[in-house]
Amino acid sequence: MIKKKVSRPSLFYSLADMLDQSHPLYRLADKIDWHRFEEAFMPLYSHGMGAQAKDIRLMCGLLILKHVRNLSDESVVEQWSENAYYQYFCGMDTFSPGQPCASMELVHFRHRIGESGVELILAESIRVNDDHDDKGTFETGLIDSTVQEKNVTYPTDAKLLKKVIGKIKKIVETEGLPMRRSYTRKLKAIYRDQRFRNHPRNHKKAKKADRELRTIAGRLLRELQRNLNGNHSYDEQISIFIKVVNQKKNDKDKIYSIHEPEVQCISKGKEHKKYEFGNKVSVIRSLGGLILGALSFRNEYDGHTIDKSLEQVRRINGKELKRLAGDRGYRGKKESAGTKILIPDIPKATDSYYKKRKKRKLFCKRAGIEPTIGHLKSDFRLGRNFYKGVFGDNINIMLAAAAYNFRRAMRLLLRLIRSLELWLETPDLTTIQSQFHPCAIYSENRMTF
């Protein structure tokens, strides 16, 4: 059950009057259309049943702040009670020293609104930037794909088999099942032999220990299946254990993590990181630096992600891109639903000097999406995905893209305030236009608020 928020302004002071109204977070809070979220998410709550739920603006604000400031659920809840700007951003009228909610409530809220709700947050992040972009924002887009790494350890056969043995013993202890042999002393010797496997003298010993570890895991797994005797509550886990024990080096659809079996092994040809474990994501950016679409995939070929990515852009913005520039990884596709796909290629003999130069400039600008992806990974929680399952993969990329757009709006609002201050000191229109020109804004060093 959720009730309409009742505003209780203080008789002596107001939180809005205490804060600096030129602060970017303050200005962004006034620019976001919070009623849009309330109208969309209100039907998801049950009226008249259960305890009173937290305010929708509060939960949306915490979710946005989490990715804008690159915080965990626990940290954003803790810092909310210490930061007056956070509280104003979430719709509070007076300062509150207590925590707004339990960190677990953010998990429930993400599952409540689902992927469509997170996509609505991404759409609002694009809308708040409309005032600062020209009319050609949706004419030309830049597309690229990257890997969204999951929060899993680097997988090896020995690590996975150790985890299988540990989880089997935990099930046996929970259910009170008999076990003929625990292999505790034997496993200690095996783990000792597996150390320093790269030394030439230990190579054969480590290979033998790997085989023995797989044999022991298979024995314990078969014994567990016999002793469960019709108990089907662990069928899903056991199917994963069987696949881990039986999989070989070059098998397809391997399991790389016990708790995240959907993780894919993706190779993007990077010299410093040959393999990455997670899933592929596609990002579409405008020439002005605004992220127009961000979508999650498993491990599809880059060219096969174009249609769904453009469909998301149309669904969010209601507009279609005329041109989409990508790298050579998108070769094989020339057009998608009226959008022309451009990739670097040998110039045609019929192209004029003007056309060749125009194409070259476009593909030089296409490289600008690479630092955008870098900022998504380093600043907005795309570099390590802590959300669980395929659902977590889908929402993490959209929340990271929304946070990038919101931070962009904050930077532009701060620039506008500085331009107004400059005008009050020296009312020179030429100076103000040069200061507020988009090229001057994007060439600035990244600011941290």
Side-chain angles (χ1 to χ4, degrees):
M1 178 183 71
I2 185 167
K3 295 182 180 179
K4 188 175 180 181
K5 180 185 171 185
V6 180
S7 179
R8 296 187 180 90
S10 173
L11 183 62
F12 304 102
Y13 69 91
S14 172
L15 186 60
D17 298 332
M18 295 173 57
L19 304 178
D20 179 12
Q21 297 186 8
S22 63
H23 192 279
L25 204 59
Y26 188 103
R27 300 292 295 271
L28 181 64
D30 293 341
K31 197 169 184 181
I32 294 176
D33 185 9
W34 299 102
H35 296 290
R36 185 180 184 183
F37 299 143
E38 293 177 357
E39 292 176 359
F41 302 153
M42 188 68 75
L44 303 176
Y45 290 85
S46 175
H47 297 275
M49 295 181 62
Q52 182 177 353
K54 299 296 181 181
D55 187 56
I56 291 177
R57 176 172 176 176
L58 170 66
M59 303 306 293
C60 289
L62 288 172
L63 199 57
I64 293 171
L65 288 170
K66 172 186 175 179
H67 283 263
V68 168
R69 296 300 175 88
N70 194 5
L71 302 170
S72 64
D73 289 342
E74 293 80 6
S75 296
V76 72
V77 169
E78 181 180 352
Q79 293 186 19
W80 187 92
S81 61
E82 304 167 356
N83 195 315
Y85 287 99
Y86 282 13
Q87 298 193 16
Y88 179 79
F89 185 80
C90 294
M92 300 297 293
D93 297 319
T94 57
F95 184 81
S96 175
Q99 291 189 351
C101 63
S103 59
M104 194 64 187
E105 292 191 45
L106 284 171
V107 181
H108 299 319
F109 182 74
R110 285 192 292 266
H111 283 273
R112 185 189 294 273
I113 64 176
E115 296 177 23
S116 59
V118 175
E119 197 171 77
L120 183 65
I121 296 176
L122 175 58
E124 180 63 19
S125 72
I126 296 172
R127 190 199 64 80
V128 297
N129 284 274
D130 285 348
D131 299 343
H132 311 288
D133 290 314
D134 54 13
K135 296 180 180 179
T137 301
F138 294 95
E139 289 185 358
T140 303
L142 313 175
I143 188 171
D144 199 6
S145 65
T146 186
V147 178
Q148 178 180 231
E149 290 189 84
K150 203 75 169 179
N151 186 34
V152 297
T153 183
Y154 191 89
T156 62
D157 290 341
K159 286 182 183 178
L160 292 173
L161 291 172
K162 287 178 186 177
K163 289 184 179 180
V164 167
I165 292 173
K167 288 184 178 295
I168 288 174
K169 289 185 176 181
K170 189 174 181 180
I171 294 174
V172 168
E173 182 180 354
T174 303
E175 298 293 331
L177 301 175
M179 178 180 286
R180 290 185 299 176
R181 183 180 175 185
S182 64
Y183 294 96
T184 302
R185 185 177 298 179
K186 180 66 175 175
L187 287 173
K188 285 184 179 180
I190 290 175
Y191 298 158
R192 188 165 53 245
D193 293 341
Q194 287 179 329
R195 296 182 65 191
F196 312 112
R197 62 170 57 246
N198 293 328
H199 194 282
R201 292 184 180 178
N202 298 336
H203 184 67
K204 288 185 178 179
K205 187 189 297 184
K207 295 290 284 184
K208 181 181 177 182
D210 291 343
R211 292 193 297 269
E212 291 179 343
L213 186 63
R214 189 178 297 273
T215 301
I216 291 173
R219 286 176 184 170
L220 293 177
L221 180 58
R222 289 188 294 270
E223 184 181 4
L224 175 65
Q225 289 179 285
R226 290 193 299 267
N227 292 334
L228 283 175
N229 194 20
N231 187 351
H232 300 287
S233 56
Y234 299 99
D235 287 352
E236 186 176 354
Q237 292 186 49
I238 289 177
S239 64
I240 295 174
F241 297 162
I242 293 173
K243 198 167 184 178
V244 169
V245 172
N246 295 329
Q247 65 188 8
K248 304 298 181 183
K249 180 179 180 179
N250 296 321
D251 289 350
K252 292 184 178 180
D253 300 325
K254 291 181 67 176
I255 299 292
Y256 297 101
S257 175
I258 302 294
H259 71 283
E260 292 287 354
E262 299 88 2
V263 164
Q264 303 282 324
C265 178
I266 302 174
S267 175
K268 297 287 284 184
K270 298 178 183 177
E271 186 177 354
H272 65 285
K273 191 179 291 186
K274 190 174 181 180
Y275 300 106
E276 294 173 286
F277 299 92
N279 70 296
K280 183 177 288 188
V281 294
S282 177
V283 179
I284 295 181
R285 202 202 78 168
S286 69
L287 291 176
L290 179 64
I291 295 180
L292 305 176
L295 202 59
S296 172
F297 299 90
R298 299 321 300 165
N299 191 13
E300 288 89 336
Y301 166 63
D302 286 353
H304 296 163
T305 65
I306 293 178
D307 293 339
K308 291 183 179 179
S309 298
L310 289 174
E311 181 184 351
Q312 186 197 36
V313 173
R314 289 192 294 269
R315 185 170 61 248
I316 291 177
N317 307 297
K319 300 176 183 178
E320 294 187 4
L321 294 170
K322 296 181 180 179
R323 293 173 296 274
L324 188 66
D327 56 17
R328 289 183 176 88
Y330 292 90
R331 63 167 62 91
K333 203 166 184 66
K334 301 294 184 182
E335 187 177 351
S336 175
T339 302
K340 190 176 181 181
I341 311 300
L342 304 174
I343 61 171
D345 203 352
I346 300 174
K348 296 179 181 179
T350 57
D351 287 349
S352 63
Y353 175 77
Y354 171 75
K355 284 186 177 180
K356 292 178 183 178
R357 187 171 179 82
K358 192 174 181 181
K359 287 182 180 179
R360 186 177 183 279
K361 282 186 176 181
L362 176 62
F363 293 123
C364 287
K365 288 183 178 180
R366 190 219 66 84
I369 197 173
E370 302 292 349
T372 297
I373 292 175
H375 285 305
L376 286 174
K377 290 193 172 185
S378 62
D379 301 337
F380 304 108
R381 303 183 68 80
L382 186 64
R384 197 78 169 174
N385 180 17
F386 292 89
Y387 294 144
K388 185 171 177 59
V390 177
F391 173 75
D393 297 338
N394 296 339
I395 67 171
N396 188 64
I397 175 60
M398 289 191 284
L399 287 171
Y404 180 92
N405 289 340
F406 283 128
R407 179 75 71 85
R408 178 178 183 267
M410 292 167 64
R411 192 162 58 245
L412 290 167
L413 289 169
L414 181 63
R415 188 74 184 210
L416 176 61
I417 294 167
R418 290 178 178 175
S419 300
L420 292 175
E421 292 174 352
L422 179 64
W423 180 80
L424 292 174
E425 295 176 1
T426 57
D428 184 4
L429 184 60
T430 306
T431 307
I432 295 173
Q433 287 177 346
S434 63
Q435 289 286 329
F436 195 61
H437 193 272
C439 295
I441 295 171
Y442 303 134
S443 62
E444 271 196 341
N445 294 331
R446 179 170 51 89
M447 300 179 185
T448 303
F449 302 105

